[in-house]
Amino acid sequence: MTEDEARERILSAAEELYYRKGYAAVGMDELRQSAGVSLRRLYGLFPAKNDIVAAVLERKHGEWESGLTAAVTDAGGDPRARLLAVYGYLEDWFCTDDFRGCAFINAFGELGGTNPEVAEIVRSHKASFQEYMSGLVASTGASPLLAAQLSILAEGAQSTAAISGDAAVAAQARGAAEVLIDAAVAA
């Protein structure tokens, strides 16, 4: 097995285990076993658990951005439809069998208070989403304040859906987003 293959196996196993069980609950031996690599190889690629957590979050950030961008692009050129596509993306995600909330919110909740590196990765991810929403809002001609409002709505939907187990939260958030968008564009 090449280093790239071992790295991929470790990150895939870590992503699945952390998302299902939590970051703190998964030890290096369980991760090694799930990835099918030796402990020596695991520590050779990732000298500390923090390195694996950071790599998993970087990977999740890339997945989030590519999935969200694809959903918005598929919505076409209408600025309002592009904004609402964010909530369609959330609904698709909430309907997956393994949905357990936002990996970043989960990581911050578990590790953010004691791990400044994780806290910074999470803050950077959330700032990136805010920036993306700002770009979408700018194309509508609405106040930049709308981007913050829609972002908070999306973040709240993620937490609520994870806690309630109800994917309908995305449709409710979309309905609220429609009201906010229409009011902001009309203003």
Side-chain angles (χ1 to χ4, degrees), residues 58-147:
E58 287 174 28
R59 193 165 128 145
K60 293 299 288 177
H61 176 73
E63 291 171 6
W64 166 262
E65 284 195 332
S66 66
L68 182 61
T69 300
V72 168
T73 300
D74 288 348
D78 177 57
R80 183 177 188 276
R82 291 168 61 82
L83 277 169
L84 294 175
V86 170
Y87 301 92
Y89 177 70
L90 292 177
E91 184 171 18
D92 290 345
W93 177 32
F94 297 171
C95 288
T96 59
D97 289 338
D98 65 344
F99 174 72
R100 286 184 176 73
C102 172
F104 294 89
I105 293 171
N106 296 347
F108 191 83
E110 278 191 63
L111 306 171
T114 60
N115 188 319
E117 182 183 0
V118 168
E120 182 52 38
I121 291 168
V122 172
R123 287 184 184 112
S124 176
H125 170 75
K126 296 303 181 180
S128 173
F129 177 58
Q130 280 271 358
E131 192 175 307
Y132 185 74
M133 293 299 282
S134 292
L136 293 175
V137 165
S139 68
T140 70
S143 164
L145 180 58
L146 178 62

Side-chain angles (χ1 to χ4, degrees), residues 9-36 42 49 52-53 56 59-60 98 100 103 106 110:
R9 288 174 77 168
I10 293 165
L11 290 177
S12 292
E15 184 176 334
E16 189 275 327
L17 288 168
Y18 293 159
Y19 195 58
R20 183 169 45 89
K21 297 176 84 174
Y23 295 87
V26 178
M28 295 297 264
D29 193 53
E30 180 180 11
L31 178 55
R32 173 207 60 78
Q33 187 175 17
S34 181
L42 175 64
K49 183 175 179 178
I52 300 170
V53 171
V56 165
R59 193 165 128 145
K60 293 299 288 177
D98 65 344
R100 286 184 176 73
N106 296 347
E110 278 191 63

